[in-house]
């Protein structure tokens, strides 16, 4: 409150007192009742004047803030396999029912498997475990809070970053409760099996098996590959305490075209406790030929390697980086061509494409000669400019030629391209538009077009290698970006007639992966139709059981998740119920539960996490010790905080009530004494 305001308040008091005395002064000595009337009049006038002055009053409120206590529980099926459900329920109930703990902390319950969820409801059905992802998300949620974390887990992670390293960046103390047996048992394990997804007819496909042994005695056993009940390859392997691992590399012939299932098995030892980790099923799809794709450039650029790696992530495709003359001499060897930043030296390549038409992708950039391309191609014209610009990408969610993976294009760094727009003289479909700074434009960055039974795509920017790197930073792998490039190449390399119902699925799925089937439905004018109702009818070829599932709409496609299906061979039919169009196919789910490969808790990794975060490790029967440590830890004290609010007096309703009471009281007193 300022000195001017204080002066006005004093002046208001003097004015109020003067007016009250002026009205009742000559009567004060007659009756004592006039003293009360003068006082009420003073309060009324003073309160009204105070409201006119309207001073600001600071109001301070005190409250206590309890630290958070995070209880993150592993919800994967490995805990069920290790028979830890009762231990987990007992620990959680002890935490919930301890009154002292609830008085000191706000308890927040989470569960995690592949992802983190805020819940204390546990099913122990998670297919995979990603502890690192749980740490990353908890760090984001509680970055400004005091939130010690209790981690109930066996410590076995099936995919994701090393959570021991991730915990170094975790700002909260972590208290792991070790679930599962920590006693080391004799065990021989098929640690890893590396096999390509595809093989080529009349070739051999390589297999790499990594086998580990945990024990002290010398042992000998047999490793086999079975196709049905037939042993197609075997080898005897010996282990001891020192030589406790083997890497086997061998090849099998691909003599028939189709999908084939195999089983790799290491014969269990007589005293083994866990034999679930001794075998693994795998499948190979034998295909007849490989798609050959040419990348033509007359200078070296990182984009060339990035495109080659993305396309060849699918083993059915092979990429050759060629000079212009090499491409012209071998043009008949390829099903598609990528022309990287064409200029006038590309004239022989364009002439060869006029004679031997191939579907193509043209990538332009700062060195592209658009004057040459405009004179060579009749289907589009680009504005001529020597100026370059940085363009970020904005996805067109209405694009319907193929299903675009869920990439965060707006987080990608900008591409460099020639300034100006492109105008098409044939039908085109836009995948990405340009964003300059914060301005989203309608200008094309990536588009596809069809004409005279040919398909072509244009990418109007260089440095796509940076997109692949950013995708890895965003997702932890190149898979989604490579999938995007793969689908663009698949669209360009295919000459198949367009259909109204397209279904995307894999020939086989591993039992621990998600089984997701995607579909697109088009109306009679081949525009994507989001009003159709798609149903998939799935039949188990072994049991004969039939099930139906509805597709759900997601962006520019329909999707259905069949991950709940058990391992088996399946046939399916996808039906558009309104138009009665259907599409059929088949797939195989291979039996494999990665969560059942662990016999023991990974105590050493959990101890590393506790050490990295200044926490401690406990067992389920020592929950009371954990509670005592949390209650006595001075780092987790309840903090008293205060908030100050500056409130104008005119918002104080009690002052208005005081004025009303004073005026009412004065009127009743005067009325009662016959002064009115």
């Amino acid at each position: 409150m300022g000195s001017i305001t204080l002066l006005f308040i004093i002046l208001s008091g003097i004015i109020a007192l003067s007016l009250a005395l002026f009205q009742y002064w000559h009567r004060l000595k007659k009756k004592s009742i006039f003293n009360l009337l003068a006082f009420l009049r003073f309060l009324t006038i003073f309160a009204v004047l105070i409201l006119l002055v309207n001073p600001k009053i600071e109001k301070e409120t005190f409250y206590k803030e309890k630290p958070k206590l995070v209880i993150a529980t592993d919800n994967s099926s490995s805990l069920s396999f290790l028979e830890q459900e009762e231990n987990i329920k007992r620990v959680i109930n002890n935490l919930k029912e301890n009154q002292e703990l609830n008085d000191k902390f706000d308890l927040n319950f989470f569960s995690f498997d592949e992802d983190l969820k805020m819940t204390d409801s546990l099913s122990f059905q998670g297919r995979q475990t990603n502890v690192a992802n749980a740490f990353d998300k908890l760090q984001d949620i509680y970055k400004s809070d005091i939130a010690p974390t209790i981690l109930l887990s066996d410590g076995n992670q099936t995919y994701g970053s090393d959570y021991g390293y991730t915990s170094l960046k975790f700002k909260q103390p972590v208290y792991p409760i070790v679930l599962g047996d920590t006693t080391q048992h004799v065990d021989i394990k098929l640690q890893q099996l590396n096999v390509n997804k595809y093989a080529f007819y009349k070739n051999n496909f390589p297999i790499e098996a990594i086998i580990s042994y945990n024990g002290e005695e010398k042992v000998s056993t047999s490793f086999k590959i079975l196709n049905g009940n037939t042993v197609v390859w075997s080898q005897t392997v010996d282990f001891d305490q020192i030589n406790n691992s083997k890497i086997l590399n061998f090849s099998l012939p691909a003599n028939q075209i189709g999908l084939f299932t195999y089983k790799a098995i290491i014969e269990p030892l007589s005293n083994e406790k866990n034999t679930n980790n001794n075998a693994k099923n795998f499948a190979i799809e034998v295909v007849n030929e490989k798609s050959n794709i040419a990348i033509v450039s007359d200078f070296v650029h990182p984009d060339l390697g990035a495109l080659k790696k993305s396309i060849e992530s699918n083993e059915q495709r092979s990429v050759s980086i060629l000079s212009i003359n090499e491409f012209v001499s071998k043009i008949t060897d390829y099903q598609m061509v990528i022309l990287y930043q064409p200029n006038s030296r590309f004239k022989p390549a364009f002439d060869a494409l006029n004679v031997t038409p191939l579907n193509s992708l043209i990538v332009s950039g700062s060195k592209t000669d658009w004057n040459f391309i405009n004179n060579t191609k009749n289907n589009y014209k680009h504005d001529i400019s020597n100026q370059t610009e940085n363009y970020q990408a904005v996805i067109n969610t209405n694009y319907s030629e193929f299903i675009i993976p869920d990439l965060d294009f707006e987080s990608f760094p900008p591409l460099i391209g020639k300034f100006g727009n492109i105008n098409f003289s044939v039908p085109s479909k836009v995948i990405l538009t340009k964003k300059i700074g914060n301005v989203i434009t309608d200008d094309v960055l990536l588009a596809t077009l069809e004409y005279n039974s040919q398909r072509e795509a244009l990418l109007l920017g260089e440095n796509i290698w940076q997109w692949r790197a950013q995708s890895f930073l965003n997702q932890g792998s190149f898979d989604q970006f490579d999938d995007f490039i793969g689908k663009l190449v698949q669209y360009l390399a295919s000459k198949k007639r367009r259909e109204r119902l397209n279904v995307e699925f894999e020939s086989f799925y591993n039992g621990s992966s998600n089984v997701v089937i995607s579909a697109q439905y088009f109306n009679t004018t081949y525009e994507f139709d989001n009003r159709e109702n798609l149903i998939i009818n799935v039949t188990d070829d072994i049991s004969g059981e039939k099930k139906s599932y509805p597709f759900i709409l997601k962006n520019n496609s329909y999707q259905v998740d069949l991950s709940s299906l058990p391992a088996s061979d399946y046939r399916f039919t996808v039906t558009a119920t309104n138009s009665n169009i259907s599409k059929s196919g088949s797939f195989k789910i291979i039996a494999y539960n990665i969560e059942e490969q662990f016999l023991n808790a990974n105590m050493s990794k959990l101890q590393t996490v506790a050490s990295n975060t200044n926490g401690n490790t406990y067992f389920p029967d020592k929950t009371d010790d954990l509670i005592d440590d949390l209650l006595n830890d001075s780092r987790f004290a309840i903090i008293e905080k205060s908030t100050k609010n500056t409130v104008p007096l005119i918002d104080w309703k009690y002052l208005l009530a005081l004025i009303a009471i004073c005026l009412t009281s004065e009127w009743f007193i005067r009325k009662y004494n016959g002064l009115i």
Side-chain angles (χ1 to χ4, degrees):
M1 188 183 298
S3 56
I4 299 295
T5 304
L6 184 60
L7 182 62
F8 278 129
I9 292 173
I10 295 171
L11 186 59
S12 299
I14 294 170
I15 293 171
L17 182 61
S18 299
L19 291 174
L21 292 175
F22 174 75
Q23 185 167 3
Y24 290 107
W25 174 259
H26 61 286
R27 300 179 181 179
L28 290 178
K29 294 182 180 180
K30 295 179 181 180
K31 288 185 179 180
S32 60
I33 194 64
F34 289 111
N35 294 330
L36 179 58
L37 289 171
F39 178 69
L40 292 172
R41 180 57 59 90
F42 165 75
L43 286 180
T44 301
I45 297 171
F46 183 66
V48 171
L49 292 174
I50 285 294
L51 285 176
L52 293 174
V53 174
N54 193 24
K56 305 288 191 297
I57 299 173
E58 285 190 349
K59 185 179 180 181
E60 189 170 17
T61 305
F62 293 91
Y63 65 95
K64 292 182 178 180
E65 185 177 90
K66 295 193 289 185
K68 310 289 191 299
L69 179 61
V70 177
I71 297 96
T73 307
D74 190 339
N75 193 38
S76 64
S77 58
S78 65
L79 276 302
S80 175
F81 177 68
L82 295 174
E83 300 179 349
Q84 293 298 307
E85 301 103 310
E86 291 303 318
N87 277 339
I88 292 172
K89 290 175 183 177
R90 186 166 56 251
V91 169
I92 290 177
N93 285 336
N94 287 346
L95 296 173
K96 282 182 177 180
E97 294 171 2
N98 189 286
Q99 191 57 49
E100 287 185 87
L101 197 67
N102 282 270
D103 289 342
K104 183 172 181 178
F105 295 95
D106 283 330
L107 273 59
N108 296 168
F109 291 89
F110 291 84
S111 68
F112 66 90
D113 37 55
E114 295 174 78
D115 203 0
L116 181 75
K117 303 178 185 69
M118 190 170 187
T119 179
D120 60 351
S121 177
L122 302 169
S123 63
F124 304 109
Q125 297 297 316
R127 290 170 172 264
Q128 297 210 57
T129 310
N130 191 342
V131 185
N133 177 62
F135 279 142
D136 286 339
K137 293 197 171 181
L138 289 173
Q139 179 66 26
D140 290 339
I141 295 170
Y142 296 104
K143 58 185 174 184
S144 59
D145 295 314
I146 298 172
T149 301
I150 298 174
L151 181 70
L152 286 88
S153 177
D154 58 5
N156 294 313
Q157 178 172 277
T158 57
Y159 83 105
S161 305
D162 183 350
Y163 70 88
Y165 174 76
T166 304
S167 67
L168 290 169
K169 299 179 285 184
F170 195 66
K171 304 302 181 186
Q172 311 290 350
V174 178
Y175 298 90
I177 296 180
V178 183
L179 301 168
D181 190 0
T182 58
T183 305
Q184 295 296 315
H185 298 276
V186 173
D187 186 47
I188 194 165
K189 177 181 180 181
L190 180 54
Q191 187 80 29
Q192 191 168 331
L193 192 68
N194 297 322
V195 188
N196 290 335
K197 213 172 180 183
Y198 302 97
F200 296 96
Y201 181 52
K202 293 186 178 179
N203 284 348
N204 290 335
F205 58 92
I207 299 174
E208 181 180 67
I210 302 174
I211 307 165
S212 63
Y213 167 67
N214 181 40
E216 297 179 357
E217 303 293 328
K218 287 185 178 181
V219 296
S220 180
T221 187
S222 176
F223 177 77
K224 302 175 183 177
I225 301 291
L226 286 79
N227 184 0
N229 295 321
T230 304
V231 177
V232 296
W233 192 89
S234 66
Q235 180 175 319
T236 300
V237 286
D238 301 316
F239 298 95
D240 56 40
Q241 188 174 8
I242 298 173
N243 300 308
N244 56 9
S245 66
K246 298 279 185 184
I247 299 177
L248 304 179
N249 290 286
F250 54 95
S251 297
L252 294 178
N255 295 326
Q256 290 180 290
I257 297 171
L259 181 65
F260 300 94
T261 304
Y262 296 87
K263 185 175 185 178
I265 183 168
I266 179 77
E267 292 292 343
L269 305 174
S270 59
N271 55 345
E272 265 195 86
K273 186 175 181 181
N274 180 19
T275 59
N276 287 343
N277 57 16
N278 288 57
K280 185 176 181 180
N281 295 307
F282 66 97
I284 290 289
E285 187 173 3
V286 180
V287 294
N288 195 20
E289 60 180 21
K290 206 171 201 177
S291 297
N292 294 317
I293 296 158
I295 300 178
V296 182
S297 177
D298 68 345
F299 66 96
V300 177
H301 194 282
D303 282 354
L304 306 179
L307 288 168
K308 179 178 171 67
K309 284 184 176 295
S310 287
I311 297 168
E312 289 187 340
S313 64
N314 184 330
E315 297 98 336
Q316 296 183 81
R317 301 188 183 115
S318 174
V319 175
S320 301
I321 300 176
L322 307 172
S323 67
I324 297 166
N325 291 333
E326 287 174 329
F327 170 68
V328 171
S329 63
K330 301 177 181 178
I331 188 171
T332 55
D333 295 341
Y334 300 99
Q335 287 76 52
M336 181 198 148
V337 61
I338 299 174
L339 302 171
Y340 190 78
Q341 300 210 42
N343 52 45
S344 58
R345 290 188 291 275
F346 276 68
K347 189 176 186 306
F350 280 96
D351 291 341
L353 288 170
N354 288 332
V355 177
T356 309
L358 294 180
N359 292 344
S360 62
L361 165 63
I362 293 180
V363 181
S364 74
S366 58
K367 296 182 180 180
T368 303
D369 185 349
W370 274 108
N371 192 37
F372 163 74
I373 297 176
N374 287 347
N375 291 329
T376 305
K377 305 286 288 186
N378 298 320
N379 301 321
Y380 43 82
K381 302 292 179 185
H382 193 284
D383 297 338
I384 302 299
S385 173
N386 291 323
Q387 181 181 346
T388 59
E389 184 65 82
N390 293 328
Y391 299 116
Q392 284 190 284
V394 177
I395 191 170
N396 173 23
T397 56
N398 295 319
Y399 184 81
S400 58
E401 296 299 304
F402 54 85
I403 298 171
I404 301 175
D406 190 15
L407 286 168
D408 185 10
F409 284 102
E410 294 195 30
S411 72
F412 288 0
L415 302 182
I416 299 174
K418 287 290 182 72
F419 182 78
N421 194 16
I422 190 167
N423 298 302
F424 295 96
S425 55
V426 295
S428 63
K429 298 284 183 69
V430 178
I431 302 175
L432 302 173
T433 57
K434 296 176 180 177
K435 180 181 178 184
I436 305 173
N438 293 322
V439 180
I440 298 175
T441 71
D442 293 328
D443 296 346
V444 172
L445 182 61
L446 175 62
T448 58
L449 50 153
E450 289 192 43
Y451 56 92
N452 299 331
S453 300
Q454 278 191 265
R455 292 175 174 176
E456 187 173 347
L458 289 168
L459 175 61
L460 305 181
E462 64 178 279
N463 290 339
I464 197 172
W465 68 270
Q466 295 181 1
W467 282 13
R468 190 169 190 261
Q470 185 63 48
S471 176
F472 182 86
L473 294 176
N474 291 351
Q475 308 293 337
S477 75
F478 297 113
D479 293 349
Q480 285 193 310
F481 180 81
D482 292 348
D483 186 27
F484 169 65
I485 295 297
K487 287 184 176 181
L488 178 61
V489 168
Q490 182 181 16
Y491 166 78
L492 293 172
S494 173
K495 295 182 181 294
K496 198 165 64 173
R497 184 179 175 273
R498 191 172 182 185
E499 298 176 333
R500 289 182 60 189
L501 179 61
N502 295 321
V503 181
E504 286 190 8
F505 63 97
E506 300 287 343
S507 301
F508 60 90
Y509 300 87
N510 287 317
S512 293
S513 63
N514 291 327
V515 181
V516 177
I517 294 179
S518 301
Q520 283 184 310
Y521 175 78
F522 302 95
N523 59 23
T524 53
T525 58
Y526 289 97
E527 295 174 332
F528 178 72
D529 189 346
N530 60 8
R531 297 167 298 175
E532 184 56 82
N533 183 32
L534 298 186
I535 300 292
I536 184 170
N537 297 301
V538 183
T539 302
D540 188 326
D541 281 344
I542 297 175
S543 69
E545 185 179 3
K546 297 181 179 181
K547 293 183 178 180
S548 295
Y549 302 88
F551 280 80
I552 61 171
L553 186 65
K554 184 176 180 183
N555 295 330
N556 64 335
S557 68
Y558 295 86
Q559 288 188 357
V560 63
D561 190 339
L562 304 178
S563 302
S564 60
L565 293 175
S568 187
D569 295 333
Y570 293 95
R571 288 176 288 110
F572 70 86
T573 301
V574 177
T575 304
T577 57
N578 295 333
S579 60
N580 202 30
I581 296 174
S582 62
K583 197 79 173 284
S584 297
S586 63
F587 62 88
K588 178 188 289 288
I589 299 179
I590 302 169
Y592 180 66
N593 189 342
I594 193 171
E595 291 289 337
E596 293 183 359
Q597 305 305 301
F598 305 103
L599 184 63
N600 301 100
N602 192 342
M603 185 172 178
S604 61
K605 184 60 72 68
L606 293 174
Q607 286 177 325
T608 299
V609 170
S611 175
N612 288 344
T613 59
N614 297 317
N616 204 356
T617 309
Y618 300 86
F619 291 97
D621 59 349
K622 299 295 182 182
T623 307
D624 290 339
D625 294 342
L626 168 60
I627 292 173
D628 289 340
D629 290 345
L630 290 170
L631 292 174
N632 296 322
D633 198 320
S634 59
R635 292 176 294 175
F636 314 134
I638 296 175
I639 301 172
E640 186 174 74
K641 293 186 175 182
S642 65
T643 57
K644 276 187 178 181
N645 292 324
T646 301
V647 182
L649 193 64
I650 199 169
D651 292 340
W652 197 44
K653 297 176 182 179
Y654 296 110
L655 193 58
L656 296 175
L658 177 64
I659 293 171
I661 291 170
C662 288
L663 288 172
T664 304
S665 300
E666 184 181 355
W667 185 85
F668 272 109
I669 293 170
R670 286 168 64 88
K671 184 73 174 177
Y672 182 79
N673 289 280
L675 299 175
I676 298 177

